[in-house]
Amino acid sequence: MDDRKNPPIWLMMLPLIGLGVLLTYQYFAPKPPPPEPTPASASASASATATATGAAAAAAAVAPSDAAARADAEQRYELENDRVIASFTNFNTAMVSLKVKGDRYLDADGNHHELVTTEKEQYLPLAPELSGVTIPADAVWSVAEATKDRVRFHWAGDGVSVTRTWELAEPPYQLLSAIEVRNDASSSKSIGLGITSAHYVRREAEKGGFFGRPSPALSHGICQYGEETIREDREGLLSEDETRPMQPHSFGPGVEFVALSSVYFAIIAAPEGATAERCDLLSSDRGGTVQDPDGSLFESRLVYAPQQLAPGTTATFRTAVYAGPKDYDALETFGHQATNVIDLGWFSFIARGMSWLLRAIYGFVGNWGFAIVLLTLLVRVLLLPAVIPQFKNMAKQRALKPEIDKINELYKDDREKKGAAMMELWRKHKVNPLGGCLPVLLQMPIFFALYQTLSTSIELYHAPFVLWWTDLSSPDPFYVLPITLGALMFIQQKLTPVQMDATQAKVMLYAMPLMMTFFMLLLPTGLCLYMVTSSAVGITQQRYMYWKMDQGPPLLATDDDGDDDGDDDQAADDSNAAAPKRAKPRGKKRTRRGRA
């Protein structure tokens, strides 16, 4: 028997290990392969890709003089309300700009946050792509109506008339797109529609520190079909077949929405009135070299099932668009299961509850920093029944520390004897050296859920707290909270009894606080605030529990026979009761002869 049966150092550092695993997973864990596309969608994907490639080639083939003349013909139309400013072009009726209004969404130069990240016409978000109809790549649409709330484009050719209407919807960050296709030919036509979007992100912007928060530019393509949510980063959406680099990943049927998303913002396209047939997702490296590209282009397509149009008949494809911050309430109002664009991690069922509770507390206090503090206090109180056994076990170990020190000194060169002595000490005093681990394990899912909630919550985006903490979604500019957390963890380690030798104890005492401080340097201020508050409350609870236990009966129980049921004492009592009573001797017994 050796001292490895004592609590290992990694078990004492379980919360730190869990945080390291979580952060490492975000950057290095392999992504599960997306489901294979259905045969029908695979063939349709190839057709749609060929159409997009042909359109791009046609656009590139326009002569320079013609391109200049066409550029002069471009007109842009703005729709504006108190939340967004959306701009559309008369070239392909796509969105050329989407600015999110509000003081929280201003950049360092005072500009509104821009969601559109592409400039080339063929990659503009929410462009229409009709099948069964050939619209020239250099087509210019006419404008039939343009107001502050609505703009209507029109194009006619190839035997059809196409009208697209954009209008602002009443719920926040929502727009409605209606594309009406009328068959003007003398024969039937099969007309289908794809709504295509693209999002470009520079590789440098998408990177985050290894132990830092995810970069706000970290992007994903998302598709919701049925109850399945596909969320893939650029690596997951790269084509697996290098000989066919433009083949997208296709999913369906029963598509609820397709989205291109960063950590805090998203552009979502959802079929209005029914589900769509298919969604396509793709990413490709752009610029730089093959080994070191400058950035990634994410592409998405929402594909409607084709409709058969008799001469003179009309088909209308309606699309609901959400373009703005990933605000849970606004996404829930939008519907279409759009709240699934918010990535709440492994323990999403806990994180959703925490997110709701955080918003509810904010409704009373009006400050997200104070809301985090109150949420932390509430969580610590709710976890108290699970923590009390941990504190009791730690108090017993603290009372045994002199005995532990003696054993470490006596058997410092004999690991086997030291381990045996330690086990005997625990058994004798009914102390479970691993008794404090279960409460820690129970708290880990809540910690992970809070980490994900506070790292990705749009409510904390540029949200001020007090003093220099003006953005709870960014790191502490002066590192006060990380350093404070390190100091609190040092105090907590001093209060926590250890069963290891002096060298290991010193590692726990100094290394763990330093490592945690290092981890917290680049994490959001909101998460650091939670950790500092939780540590301070934990120390207070621990000190109070120690004090209360010191006022009560002795913590340690000992059996002479070393077992846990106290049968040694009971057996002794039973033996004494069964034995005949004897009179106490009253001095030396004398005989008759002695008295003679």
Side-chain angles (χ1 to χ4, degrees):
M1 185 178 300
D2 57 50
D3 63 350
R4 283 177 293 181
K5 294 186 179 179
N6 292 337
I9 190 171
W10 66 264
L11 197 56
M12 303 294 291
M13 301 177 68
L14 192 59
L16 184 60
I17 293 172
L19 177 62
V21 170
L22 178 65
L23 295 173
T24 305
Y25 177 84
Q26 292 183 343
Y27 294 96
F28 293 102
K31 304 292 183 180
E36 292 296 327
T38 59
S41 66
S43 61
S45 299
S47 175
T49 301
T51 303
T53 305
V62 176
S65 58
D66 294 338
R70 185 167 182 268
D72 293 337
E74 182 183 17
Q75 296 180 0
R76 297 186 177 187
Y77 300 86
E78 284 189 355
L79 305 182
E80 182 177 358
N81 58 19
D82 60 340
R83 300 296 183 98
V84 297
I85 304 174
S87 299
F88 303 91
T89 176
N90 64 332
F91 279 177
N92 59 359
T93 73
M95 180 184 288
V96 293
S97 174
L98 193 289
K99 296 178 180 178
V100 181
K101 299 171 68 175
D103 293 341
R104 288 178 53 203
Y105 306 118
L106 297 177
D107 62 17
D109 298 325
N111 301 316
H112 297 297
H113 184 85
E114 176 64 69
L115 264 65
V116 177
T117 56
T118 55
E119 297 180 352
K120 293 185 177 181
E121 181 180 338
Q122 65 267 35
Y123 298 130
L124 290 175
L126 307 167
E129 187 178 276
L130 291 169
S131 62
V133 177
T134 301
I135 299 179
D138 59 349
V140 177
W141 296 54
S142 62
V143 178
E145 178 186 0
T147 67
K148 184 178 179 180
D149 302 320
R150 176 185 301 185
V151 60
R152 180 177 290 119
F153 300 96
H154 181 76
W155 178 87
D158 198 21
V160 299
S161 296
V162 185
T163 300
R164 185 177 198 181
T165 303
W166 277 106
E167 59 183 327
L168 294 171
E170 182 62 30
Y173 310 112
Q174 294 189 33
L175 302 97
L176 293 177
S177 165
I179 297 180
E180 183 180 282
V181 183
R182 188 182 72 230
N183 183 7
D184 296 333
S186 57
S187 60
S188 297
K189 285 181 175 288
S190 178
I191 304 297
L193 173 67
I195 300 293
T196 66
S197 296
H199 165 66
Y200 178 76
V201 57
R202 292 187 61 83
R203 195 62 55 88
E204 292 181 358
E206 200 177 14
K207 290 180 180 178
F210 175 71
F211 287 109
R213 62 168 179 164
S215 167
L218 185 65
S219 302
H220 293 82
I222 306 173
C223 176
Q224 179 77 36
Y225 69 103
E227 298 300 320
E228 187 76 18
T229 304
I230 302 298
R231 178 183 289 103
E232 293 289 344
D233 59 12
R234 58 179 173 82
E235 295 292 340
L237 294 177
L238 286 173
S239 176
E240 297 179 1
D241 186 354
E242 296 181 358
T243 63
R244 303 172 67 188
M246 294 301 293
Q247 287 298 309
H249 299 265
S250 300
F251 310 95
V255 175
E256 290 283 351
F257 72 79
V258 65
L260 295 177
S261 166
S262 62
V263 172
Y264 295 111
F265 298 91
I267 295 180
I268 306 171
E272 189 74 6
T275 59
E277 181 184 54
R278 192 182 81 249
C279 62
D280 299 335
L281 297 173
L282 176 69
S283 77
S284 54
D285 294 331
R286 298 299 173 105
T289 64
V290 174
Q291 293 77 19
D292 187 22
D294 289 337
S296 300
L297 184 70
F298 290 79
E299 299 177 71
S300 70
R301 182 181 294 109
L302 181 69
V303 181
Y304 293 83
Q307 297 188 29
Q308 195 71 25
L309 295 184
T313 59
T314 300
T316 302
F317 303 91
R318 301 183 185 277
T319 306
V321 173
Y322 182 96
K326 291 158 69 170
D327 180 280
Y328 186 88
D329 293 333
L331 290 168
E332 191 172 40
T333 302
F334 180 71
H336 304 282
Q337 303 185 53
T339 54
N340 288 336
V341 300
I342 302 176
D343 184 12
L344 294 177
W346 302 330
F347 303 100
S348 58
F349 63 99
I350 300 177
R352 289 190 189 280
M354 293 295 175
S355 181
W356 175 87
L357 189 57
L358 182 64
R359 296 194 303 273
I361 296 174
Y362 173 78
F364 287 98
V365 300
N367 182 292
W368 288 108
F370 289 123
I372 292 173
V373 172
L374 294 177
L375 174 66
T376 308
L377 293 174
L378 183 58
V379 169
R380 294 293 306 199
V381 170
L382 293 176
L383 289 176
L384 193 57
V387 173
I388 288 177
Q390 178 186 11
F391 286 153
K392 288 183 177 179
N393 198 71
M394 291 169 59
K396 290 181 179 181
Q397 295 181 41
R398 185 185 60 152
L400 288 174
K401 190 176 186 307
E403 299 292 332
I404 296 172
D405 292 341
K406 288 180 182 178
I407 292 174
N408 285 329
E409 180 63 27
L410 184 62
Y411 301 111
K412 60 183 178 181
D413 297 324
D414 193 330
R415 298 177 60 188
E416 184 174 346
K417 289 184 178 180
K418 182 169 69 172
M422 293 289 287
M423 294 300 294
E424 177 63 23
L425 182 66
W426 301 138
R427 188 167 62 90
K428 181 179 180 181
H429 293 284
K430 300 182 181 180
V431 175
N432 181 3
L434 303 180
C437 299
L438 181 59
V440 174
L441 293 175
L442 293 176
Q443 296 175 59
M444 293 303 290
I446 296 177
F447 172 80
F448 288 149
L450 280 170
Y451 169 83
Q452 195 70 15
T453 299
L454 298 178
S455 296
T456 61
S457 177
I458 187 62
E459 287 82 4
L460 305 185
Y461 184 77
H462 291 177
F465 177 35
V466 293
L467 302 177
W468 59 84
W469 296 300
T470 58
D471 183 2
L472 289 170
S473 66
S474 64
D476 185 340
F478 299 112
Y479 309 121
V480 173
L481 289 176
I483 294 174
T484 302
L485 178 62
L488 290 174
M489 292 203 69
F490 179 82
I491 296 172
Q492 203 163 23
Q493 288 300 308
K494 293 285 286 186
L495 296 176
T496 303
V498 293
Q499 297 83 45
M500 55 199 71
D501 58 35
T503 302
Q504 292 175 321
K506 188 171 294 186
V507 170
M508 286 292 296
L509 182 61
Y510 295 102
M512 188 173 179
L514 286 174
M515 290 177 65
M516 185 60 74
T517 300
F518 174 74
F519 292 162
M520 290 290 135
L521 290 178
L522 299 177
L523 289 180
T525 298
L527 183 62
C528 289
L529 182 60
Y530 157 73
M531 294 291 293
V532 168
T533 306
S534 182
S535 295
V537 174
I539 291 173
T540 303
Q541 290 177 334
Q542 188 174 1
R543 292 297 300 167
Y544 173 76
M545 290 296 298
Y546 284 176
W547 173 82
K548 189 173 182 179
M549 291 174 187
D550 289 342
Q551 307 304 311
L555 294 173
L556 301 177
T558 304
D559 288 340
D560 293 338
D561 62 348
D563 60 20
D564 294 336
D565 54 8
D567 58 356
D568 180 71
D569 296 336
Q570 184 64 39
D573 293 341
D574 293 343
S575 176
N576 291 334
K581 295 182 179 180
R582 300 178 180 177
K584 295 181 179 180
R586 299 181 179 179
K588 185 176 181 181
K589 184 179 179 180
R590 297 187 180 186
T591 64
R592 289 181 180 271
R593 181 177 298 179
R595 292 197 297 267

